[in-house]
Amino acid sequence: MKLKHYSKSVVGSVRVANEDCIDSVINNSNAYSNVFVVCDGMGGHVGGAKASEIATKNIIEYFSREPDSVPQNALRAAIEFTNIQIYGTAQVNPELNGMGTTCTVLVENGGLIYIAHVGDSRIYICSDNKLYRLTKDHSYVQGLVDAGEITDAQMETHPRKNELTRALGISEEVKVEVASQPIFAKKGDKFLLCTDGLCGLISDKLIASTLNSGIEIDAMVHELISLAEKAGGHDNISVDIVEIIQSEHSNTKFENKNNENYSSLKTQELNSTPKNKNSAKNKALLVVLLLVVFLGLSTGIFKTFYHKEDNTNKKTKTPPDTKVNNGVDVKITIDDDKDETPTTPTKEDEGSKFPTPAPTPAPTRTRTPVSTQPQTSNLTDKEKVEEVIKKLKTSGRISKNEGLGCSIEYDPIDKKQPADNDQTYKVKVKVSLNKVVEKTSFKEKVKAKPKLTSTNGTAAEAAVKQASSEGQAQKKDTVKVK
């Protein structure tokens, strides 16, 4: 088997740092000729980036040495070992506590493809101009879809869509999902590995359209990233496309992990030659179905013509009957496209147990623009921060008060005034909660204030523990949150 690939990872339009990490090994010297890894870190700018970096580095290193000869065992061993490395690093470095990462791995061994994953980063295959998911998200909302409580389309706009049920690095053990059977890929098939910064912002239909556009794979990667950025770009975006350019297989075979209401198909075997026994059977079945429908319609017309009702002025509506000709059911279902409303992804700790609520319509998430005119206020520093947090809550963009960080900066409007004079200040308040950033400016006239250093904190309800009760924060003071 011969293949080519192109990958790229960008910070996106909102984040200040890239917590994703991607890596690969091409033409490896051992049985695992090609290895591809995509990870999406969580736990803050430093922790998330560190976790994803450890994951990609350790997995690539494992497959570059002497991995287990059984691909499924090798994938599980590599990811479980990586989990221990991330967890151990967090234990000896308190500032990294709570860091974790998703992980998707694709390897090629002997002309066959093997995959494994943890979290909500995905692997797709595009074959014969159709797109299929090869992984199923380890997330709270995927559980609701599996239980039949929400649809695949509702999953993308659910307020808890970014809560993970599995991730690397947040406990000593992790359950790795490894595909039990290898994937047979033929020439022209394409694999897509991506973080939710892509598939969480643009629909599978749009992804499929790009992969089938006929352009080179590097242009496909750039186009997909551009589409995600235009949809809001609220998260880091990582994309890796692998194209099969030579294969001994003429048919594509894999296990389809599309959700039920997205596609009713399970195991897929796609043939490159259109004329075969299965297609002949399908054609025969189609002819039979057409005859059944024709006979049903003919019977309906006959009854309508020869059996007129006595009361010609009475009009009734009869519900459509799907049963025709002795119980043969004909049912056609058309799924609506996914909602492509931009969302701001966050990650929750692995292993969290949530009660399954009754399905409710997902609220529309909107970004609150930064006000160009500061509000006139004499609030304390703590009250300013609480005011901004209130905006985040009322906007519906957060579900929990975790991962809180804040900063306050006093900027004199008239910089030529002496420092000891009363001045009018523009007070810039920035709050980050669950990785969602809100900025608000206040305007007040007080005695000169030095700039307050940027601060960060851990999860808590309280807005600020340390801040002057009158808002007179001193230089180098740190606003902490517990």
Side-chain angles (χ1 to χ4, degrees):
M1 175 177 285
K2 291 184 180 180
L3 50 82
K4 61 180 180 179
H5 93 110
Y6 186 83
S7 61
K8 187 176 182 180
S9 181
V10 299
V11 70
S13 305
V14 176
R15 300 292 177 87
V16 297
N18 194 347
E19 298 176 47
D20 291 357
C21 193
I22 57 179
D23 205 351
S24 61
V25 175
I26 307 298
N27 298 324
N28 200 14
S29 58
N30 59 32
Y32 297 91
S33 306
N34 300 283
V35 182
F36 306 92
V37 186
V38 172
C39 298
D40 181 359
M42 67 195 90
H45 300 325
V46 177
K50 186 67 175 177
S52 61
E53 179 186 5
I54 293 174
T56 53
K57 178 180 178 182
N58 278 273
I59 293 171
I60 291 297
E61 184 177 352
Y62 175 87
F63 281 102
S64 298
R65 295 188 175 181
E66 296 180 0
D68 193 299
S69 59
V70 179
Q72 290 88 342
N73 294 343
L75 285 165
R76 181 172 285 105
I79 297 175
E80 288 178 346
F81 173 74
T82 295
N83 178 69
I84 292 296
Q85 295 298 309
I86 299 172
Y87 182 76
T89 301
Q91 297 308 301
V92 299
N93 296 278
E95 69 275 11
L96 299 177
N97 187 37
M99 73 175 181
T101 184
T102 68
C103 178
T104 56
V105 186
L106 182 151
V107 300
E108 185 255 319
N109 183 313
L112 298 174
I113 303 295
Y114 300 85
I115 61 171
H117 82 293
V118 174
D120 63 353
S121 296
R122 293 179 182 174
I123 304 178
Y124 292 84
I125 185 172
C126 185
S127 183
D128 293 338
N129 296 324
K130 293 182 179 180
L131 186 71
Y132 305 90
R133 297 179 195 172
L134 298 178
T135 57
K136 183 169 285 194
D137 298 349
H138 299 141
S139 65
Y140 172 74
V141 292
Q142 182 61 59
L144 297 181
V145 174
D146 293 340
E149 298 188 23
I150 63 174
T151 65
D152 185 83
Q154 291 172 330
M155 167 180 165
E156 296 302 331
T157 55
H158 196 281
R160 297 174 68 176
K161 73 180 288 288
N162 300 297
E163 296 179 5
L164 300 183
T165 56
R166 299 187 206 176
L168 298 185
I170 31 185
S171 64
E172 292 186 41
E173 297 182 354
V174 65
K175 186 176 181 181
V176 183
E177 183 169 345
V178 182
S180 59
Q181 298 298 323
I183 298 168
F184 294 76
K186 65 177 181 290
K187 180 180 178 181
D189 288 349
K190 301 181 190 71
F191 292 91
L192 168 66
L193 290 77
C194 65
T195 58
D196 68 339
L198 178 76
C199 54
L201 285 178
I202 64 175
S203 68
D204 285 9
K205 182 177 180 180
L206 199 52
I207 292 174
S209 176
T210 304
L211 294 179
N212 292 321
S213 60
I215 58 179
E216 291 296 323
I217 59 173
D218 57 342
M220 291 180 188
V221 169
H222 292 134
E223 176 64 16
L224 288 172
I225 291 175
S226 176
L227 289 170
E229 289 177 332
K230 290 176 182 177
H234 302 309
D235 201 356
N236 307 142
I237 309 164
S238 295
V239 181
D240 194 342
I241 296 179
V242 181
E243 182 178 6
I244 308 300
I245 57 176
Q246 183 177 321
S247 173
E248 62 186 33
H249 308 295
S250 58
N251 300 334
T252 301
K253 187 177 181 180
F254 57 91
E255 184 178 0
N256 177 20
K257 291 297 184 73
N258 285 347
N259 288 327
E260 285 291 338
N261 53 355
Y262 180 81
S263 173
S264 61
L265 303 176
K266 284 296 184 181
T267 301
Q268 301 288 323
E269 184 167 1
L270 307 177
N271 301 318
S272 59
T273 54
K275 295 183 179 180
N276 50 54
K277 294 182 179 180
N278 289 334
S279 64
K281 291 180 180 179
N282 291 337
K283 288 181 179 179
L285 180 59
L286 179 60
V287 171
V288 172
L289 289 175
L290 289 174
L291 288 173
V292 169
V293 173
F294 176 79
L295 290 174
L297 291 174
S298 300
T299 302
I301 294 172
F302 178 85
K303 289 181 178 180
T304 301
F305 185 80
Y306 288 100
H307 299 279
K308 296 182 180 179
E309 294 184 82
D310 293 336
N311 187 1
T312 57
N313 294 326
K314 184 178 179 181
K315 295 183 179 180
T316 61
K317 293 184 178 180
T318 304
D321 189 358
T322 58
K323 295 184 178 181
V324 295
N325 198 16
N326 298 327
V328 178
D329 293 336
V330 180
K331 184 177 181 181
I332 301 174
T333 302
I334 301 177
D335 290 332
D336 293 331
D337 292 336
K338 291 184 182 178
D339 187 353
E340 294 185 36
T341 303
T343 59
T344 306
T346 60
K347 299 280 191 292
E348 295 292 340
D349 287 347
E350 184 263 357
S352 299
K353 303 298 181 182
F354 302 106
T356 303
T360 56
T364 302
R365 299 186 181 186
T366 58
R367 294 182 61 194
T368 304
V370 178
S371 175
T372 56
Q373 295 297 327
Q375 306 174 40
T376 301
S377 172
N378 287 314
L379 301 175
T380 65
D381 287 341
K382 178 178 179 179
E383 290 170 336
K384 293 186 186 75
V385 175
E386 289 175 337
E387 183 72 18
V388 179
I389 291 176
K390 183 179 179 181
K391 284 189 176 184
L392 280 170
K393 289 182 178 179
T394 56
S395 68
R397 293 181 291 152
I398 59 171
S399 57
K400 287 190 176 184
N401 294 338
E402 295 187 359
L404 177 63
C406 60
S407 66
I408 308 175
E409 182 178 337
Y410 288 87
D411 189 18
I413 293 178
D414 186 358
K415 295 181 170 48
K416 295 181 180 180
Q417 284 285 340
D420 56 351
N421 286 1
D422 287 359
Q423 294 191 51
T424 301
Y425 283 78
K426 184 177 182 180
V427 187
K428 303 174 183 177
V429 180
K430 178 181 177 182
V431 171
S432 172
L433 189 59
N434 272 342
K435 299 183 181 179
V436 184
V437 178
E438 174 71 33
K439 299 177 183 178
T440 301
S441 295
F442 298 88
K443 181 180 179 182
E444 60 185 55
K445 187 173 184 179
V446 292
K447 286 187 178 291
K449 294 183 180 182
K451 289 186 177 180
L452 184 66
T453 57
S454 178
T455 60
N456 290 297
T458 56
E461 275 286 348
V464 179
K465 183 181 179 182
Q466 293 184 352
S468 169
S469 60
E470 298 300 325
Q472 304 295 321
Q474 299 300 311
K475 191 173 184 179
K476 302 296 185 182
D477 276 357
T478 300
V479 178
K480 294 183 179 179
V481 180
K482 288 188 178 181

